[in-house]
Amino acid sequence: MAAKWLKDTIFYEIYPQSFKDSDGDGIGDINGIVQKLDYIKELGCNALWINPCYDSPFKDAGYDIRDYKKVAPRYGTNEDLFRLFDEAHKKGIRVLLDLVPGHTSEEHPWFLESQKVQKNEYSDRFIWTDYCFQGASGLPYIGGESERSACYILNFFKCQPALNYGFYKVTEPWQKSFRDPEAMATREAIKDIMRFWLSHGCDGFRVDMAASLVKNDDDKKTGTSAVWKDVRRMLDLEFPDAAMVSEWSNPPLALRAGYDMDFCLNEPGGGYSTLMRDYYNHGGSAHGDRNAEDHSYFKKDAGGDINRFLDQYLTWYEDTRDLGYISLLTCNHDTIRPSYTLDPRELKLAYAFLFTLPGVPFLYYGDEIGMRYLDVPTKEGGYFRTGSRTPMQWDGSANLGFSEGKTSDLYLPVDTSADAPTVEAQEADRDSLLNTVRAILAIRHREKDLQADADFQVICSENDKPLVYRRGSLLCVVNPTGGKLETILPADISETIHGEVIFKIGEASAGNGRIYTDAQSFAVIK
Ligand code: NOJ
């Protein structure tokens, strides 16, 4: 069963490099996040996911960890992070850290020991073949770099050797079973890291590449799932309030393995999911081809069919609603920002839909003001992802209020366009994207029927009609088209509706068993 506090939770994802620089060195830091907690609270988010903020050579933006228990000096100290937990909790905000269990940095002391000829405690902490010319049959590997005459398996980039959780199907002499003591020792090491942060006040973890642990584990049901069930048992006993969200993109598997929430982002096996592609239509191309034909449902008159999204979503939802939550996100540090293809009005409708679905939603910093995907050179292994990682745009001051440091020292350049959106400008405009997001999050907190657990039923999702869905006793309607639409409600539904519009974007009304919507509108009806 998922942690109870998730019932009315909306997460805000912070890429710490780019959120707020408190000491003028050009890079965001923990104290900067503390300074902005009131902003996050007023926005309506009551939980954070912070990308890895640990000691690292930063060849993959911190997903290459050198010391799991130490805050990277560029972000501050462990004490700063403990204080962030405290300050956040005082304001009713929970904090998830990023757990990277599948790999370390090649500079992690475990790996430095592991690559030695002399047998030691860490020799089997990573996955090694048994000879320097013996490759790893199908798995990515590196040879020729270690003192030890063997090759090691990678989990992602070259800088990220895979930790050893064993193999489900053992097919080579050098492969160890996932039940072997060495694989168990890795599990214990990860639990130890979790205990460390949880006992200092963190509320749980976003788990990187959660499906990647046990190798040769095709269906993930027995091998990799066993690791997470084991972790869940530890949490239930020692930290029953802790929550975990997986980067797995298979809610039926992830939630059965003990996760509270699973992101729907990557299809198992990699690549961007059809789910997000149909939702925003830019995930299909990793490079975000702006000229590609755009079939996002929320794009005015693009003719997009929401059923491509709903078919997958409803199957997962029905299968998992008693187990935990599906987490949808506006985007994240690995994807193209939604403003790449959607204009502010289209974004309002897309977000209104996302934040009125069941489960636990995530908002990526800057998406609330429609920050743009920028064409910038790669930084710290970001490649095309770098364009979604630029500094938060707070106000019209130097560096858009992100940093008081020298512009030439900034971690990444800020948006220099004259109309770059900022929090300050949008706060002053009642109709801005920011104020609309605030209003949507506020109504979600006010109406239990819009929160994680309330029933969800699609009433009408035909492509030439608006999308109408029921949440508990409320009806929601989205008309993304450029024209007025009228929908006849099924009799059993119309009997339960008074017709009072309690929230709207654009114009909408209800009466006589019908819903009337203006072009590009959204409404919640009682
Ligand atoms: C997924 C993370 O979100 C991404 O940023 C990272 O590069 C890989 N996992 C490797 O850890």
Side-chain angles (χ1 to χ4, degrees):
M1 264 290 99
K4 291 207 176 47
W5 57 270
L6 293 170
K7 288 179 190 299
D8 179 23
T9 296
I10 301 162
F11 277 90
Y12 193 77
E13 179 193 345
I14 294 181
Y15 185 73
Q17 290 90 319
S18 295
F19 191 57
K20 175 69 189 168
D21 171 20
S22 73
D23 59 6
D25 64 356
I27 188 160
D29 45 50
I30 305 284
N31 289 336
I33 300 175
V34 174
Q35 285 175 12
K36 294 296 182 184
L37 287 173
D38 284 333
Y39 165 77
I40 293 164
K41 191 176 162 86
E42 279 160 30
L43 179 61
C45 290
N46 52 1
L48 305 179
W49 155 28
I50 304 174
N51 291 115
C53 54
Y54 322 104
D55 182 46
S56 164
F58 293 104
K59 289 187 181 167
D60 183 17
Y63 282 93
D64 48 327
I65 298 173
R66 189 164 48 199
D67 186 343
Y68 283 99
K69 295 186 182 171
K70 182 181 173 203
V71 166
R74 72 186 200 178
Y75 301 132
T77 61
N78 283 15
E79 281 60 41
D80 293 335
L81 187 54
F82 302 158
R83 191 169 69 88
L84 166 61
F85 299 150
D86 274 357
E87 295 299 319
H89 291 161
K90 281 185 207 154
K91 296 179 197 294
I93 298 173
R94 313 260 184 166
V95 185
L96 298 194
L97 294 180
D98 213 315
L99 181 73
V100 186
H103 49 268
T104 65
S105 154
E106 61 196 342
E107 294 184 21
H108 194 292
W110 295 344
F111 186 70
L112 299 180
E113 284 301 304
S114 195
Q115 64 85 42
K116 289 184 178 162
V117 176
Q118 194 73 40
K119 183 100 176 137
N120 62 59
E121 189 187 339
Y122 301 102
S123 298
D124 293 313
R125 182 56 54 86
F126 297 83
I127 309 172
W128 295 89
T129 67
D130 47 13
Y131 181 45
C132 62
F133 296 116
Q134 167 71 60
S137 42
L139 294 167
Y141 69 93
I142 294 287
E145 292 226 338
S146 59
E147 189 180 286
R148 176 171 173 174
S149 168
C151 299
Y152 60 92
I153 312 295
L154 300 175
N155 219 32
F156 197 67
F157 285 152
K158 182 258 165 192
C159 60
Q160 291 155 318
L163 281 159
N164 175 26
Y165 293 86
F167 286 70
Y168 181 60
K169 274 180 276 165
V170 174
T171 56
E172 302 275 352
W174 50 268
Q175 298 176 355
K176 305 251 168 22
S177 157
F178 73 105
R179 294 197 176 93
D180 273 12
E182 292 83 1
M184 291 296 175
T186 310
R187 287 192 201 180
E188 290 311 314
I190 292 299
K191 285 191 217 161
D192 173 61
I193 293 159
M194 296 174 83
R195 286 188 182 104
F196 175 80
W197 292 111
L198 289 166
S199 62
H200 282 102
C202 113
D203 297 288
F205 299 93
R206 173 271 186 186
V207 178
D208 189 68
M209 297 175 67
S212 75
L213 305 191
V214 175
K215 307 301 181 197
N216 284 358
D217 181 24
D218 297 341
D219 70 7
K220 316 273 178 206
K221 281 188 188 148
T222 322
T224 298
S225 289
V227 178
W228 293 118
K229 285 179 184 164
D230 189 3
V231 167
R232 182 84 252 175
R233 273 192 295 276
M234 179 279 279
L235 292 179
D236 286 348
L237 276 174
E238 299 174 34
F239 303 95
D241 231 15
M244 291 198 295
V245 55
S246 46
E247 187 198 30
W248 192 320
S249 273
N250 191 327
L253 274 181
L255 302 184
R256 285 190 174 87
Y259 277 92
D260 303 72
M261 310 162 262
D262 183 34
F263 286 131
C264 294
L265 187 66
N266 301 98
E267 277 162 336
Y272 287 86
S273 90
T274 47
L275 190 146
M276 291 307 280
R277 186 169 66 232
D278 295 335
Y279 193 80
Y280 288 131
N281 189 59
H282 53 229
S285 152
H287 307 285
D289 180 359
R290 210 186 292 250
N291 300 316
E293 217 184 329
D294 191 341
H295 290 301
S296 161
Y297 180 71
F298 300 98
K299 187 139 200 77
K300 184 174 151 199
D301 295 330
D305 186 351
I306 196 66
N307 292 300
R308 290 186 302 174
F309 166 83
L310 288 173
D311 286 349
Q312 173 69 84
Y313 181 79
L314 285 168
T315 311
W316 279 342
Y317 171 70
E318 294 302 340
D319 187 13
T320 60
R321 51 180 305 188
D322 298 328
L323 301 171
Y325 302 116
I326 296 174
S327 281
L328 290 171
L329 19 77
T330 58
C331 98
N332 76 11
H333 64 290
D334 291 334
T335 65
I336 310 280
R337 285 194 184 269
S339 63
Y340 194 68
T341 51
L342 300 186
D343 69 21
R345 180 57 173 252
E346 292 161 348
L347 284 174
K348 286 180 187 174
L349 303 183
Y351 294 170
F353 176 60
L354 191 151
F355 291 119
T356 52
L357 284 179
V360 182
F362 281 66
L363 172 64
Y364 184 54
Y365 84 96
D367 280 349
E368 70 274 29
I369 54 169
M371 260 175 69
R372 298 185 180 122
Y373 174 76
L374 300 184
D375 187 10
V376 287
T378 182
K379 176 96 178 178
E380 297 184 346
Y383 301 99
F384 81 87
R385 307 175 294 182
T386 310
S388 295
R389 300 175 173 185
T390 58
M392 180 67 182
Q393 299 162 195
W394 294 104
D395 57 39
S397 67
N399 304 322
L400 300 185
F402 163 66
S403 167
E404 288 175 5
K406 283 195 268 165
T407 301
S408 56
D409 286 347
L410 296 190
Y411 171 77
L412 278 171
V414 292
D415 188 346
T416 51
S417 40
D419 62 349
T422 64
V423 169
E424 181 184 52
Q426 293 201 12
E427 274 182 334
D429 170 6
R430 258 188 48 208
D431 199 34
S432 66
L433 182 59
L434 174 65
N435 281 326
T436 304
V437 171
R438 283 180 175 160
I440 300 167
L441 301 195
I443 188 147
R444 184 177 171 111
H445 289 305
R446 203 162 62 230
E447 298 289 336
K448 213 167 169 225
D449 279 353
L450 294 177
Q451 296 170 7
D453 288 325
D455 262 9
F456 173 61
Q457 181 196 1
V458 174
I459 308 293
C460 164
S461 66
E462 280 173 50
N463 202 20
D464 55 349
K465 296 198 180 122
L467 167 65
V468 183
Y469 50 101
R470 186 176 64 75
R471 291 298 320 278
S473 62
L474 300 173
L475 269 197
C476 299
V477 55
V478 195
N479 172 5
T481 74
K484 288 182 192 249
L485 293 174
E486 186 181 316
T487 312
I488 303 176
L489 292 171
D492 58 325
I493 297 292
S494 93
E495 277 162 19
T496 63
I497 295 297
H498 306 293
E500 187 196 345
V501 174
I502 59 168
F503 178 82
K504 63 185 177 178
I505 295 168
E507 279 309 319
S509 59
N512 306 323
R514 285 157 206 259
I515 300 183
Y516 307 92
T517 49
D518 270 8
Q520 293 192 288
S521 62
F522 171 85
V524 180
I525 302 164
K526 245 198 173 119

